[in-house]
Amino acid sequence: MKEEMQQDERIMMKQKDFKSKGLDSIFYFLLIAIVIQKFFLNAPIKQYGVELFLFLICLVYEIVGYYKAGINIWICDESGKRIKLLRIVIEGVVTCGIMILLMGIKDLKDIILCVLFSILIYGSGILITAFAINKRKRKIDLELDNEKD
């Protein structure tokens, strides 16, 4: 008879914590590598493209994981519509600022267009993702309620 090793919740939580910290470490090391190569070494995108691709893959992995769990990481239900809109605008401008720095855009017209499109695309992406996550969360809540009955 095969003996199964039973683990208590504390050990399982520690294992998940170490895995989470490992993924976060990889995430930050990739970001640091991209910044160093772009700004300090003045490297072309060919040189740090793999790190950028892996960074984006880690980001998508976390978003999909949160979606599967029904966790809304961007917009809290308690906050008002003004706060949501303000947060989208601020995060869109910050994202655009990073893109401008990475791409080296110097023309004012191009910068303004980049900011507007960044806010539009970033905001619509966040709202669509938040809607999908809330829908998934309601489905999970219904399944849990049905199991209790």
Side-chain angles (χ1 to χ4, degrees):
M1 192 163 151
K2 186 177 180 182
E3 291 184 26
E4 292 185 21
M5 182 179 239
Q6 293 184 354
Q7 297 178 349
D8 62 1
E9 290 181 21
R10 182 183 56 83
I11 294 173
M12 292 172 59
M13 290 302 291
K14 282 291 186 185
Q15 288 174 341
K16 289 180 182 179
D17 186 42
F18 286 127
K19 288 178 185 176
S20 176
K21 286 181 182 177
L23 181 64
D24 288 343
S25 298
I26 290 171
F27 195 71
Y28 290 123
F29 286 135
L30 287 171
L31 183 61
I32 290 168
I34 292 167
V35 169
I36 288 173
Q37 289 182 33
K38 173 64 182 166
F39 296 110
F40 297 116
L41 301 177
N42 292 325
I45 193 155
K46 294 176 189 176
Q47 186 170 340
Y48 62 88
V50 174
E51 287 92 347
L52 185 60
F53 178 73
L54 291 174
F55 180 78
L56 294 174
I57 292 296
C58 287
L59 189 66
V60 168
Y61 174 78
E62 283 192 6
I63 291 170
V64 168
Y66 285 128
Y67 171 75
K68 284 184 177 181
I71 300 170
N72 191 347
I73 57 174
W74 286 294
I75 300 174
C76 298
D77 294 331
E78 306 87 46
S79 64
K81 291 182 181 178
R82 268 192 196 167
I83 295 173
K84 291 177 189 177
L85 182 63
L86 180 65
R87 185 171 176 184
I88 287 172
V89 169
I90 290 172
E91 289 176 356
V93 169
V94 169
T95 303
C96 184
I98 292 170
M99 286 179 10
I100 289 170
L101 287 173
L102 288 175
M103 296 170 62
I105 299 174
K106 304 249 189 273
D107 188 22
L108 182 63
K109 179 182 170 187
D110 292 338
I111 291 173
I112 292 172
L113 285 174
C114 183
V115 168
L116 292 176
F117 282 123
S118 176
I119 291 171
L120 179 70
I121 291 170
Y122 184 76
S124 61
I126 284 179
L127 292 176
I128 289 169
T129 307
F131 174 76
I133 288 173
N134 285 334
K135 188 175 177 182
R136 174 79 176 158
K137 184 178 179 182
R138 281 186 292 241
K139 182 180 177 185
I140 291 172
D141 289 341
L142 283 174
E143 289 175 1
L144 291 174
D145 288 341
N146 290 338
E147 286 179 6
K148 288 180 182 178
D149 295 337

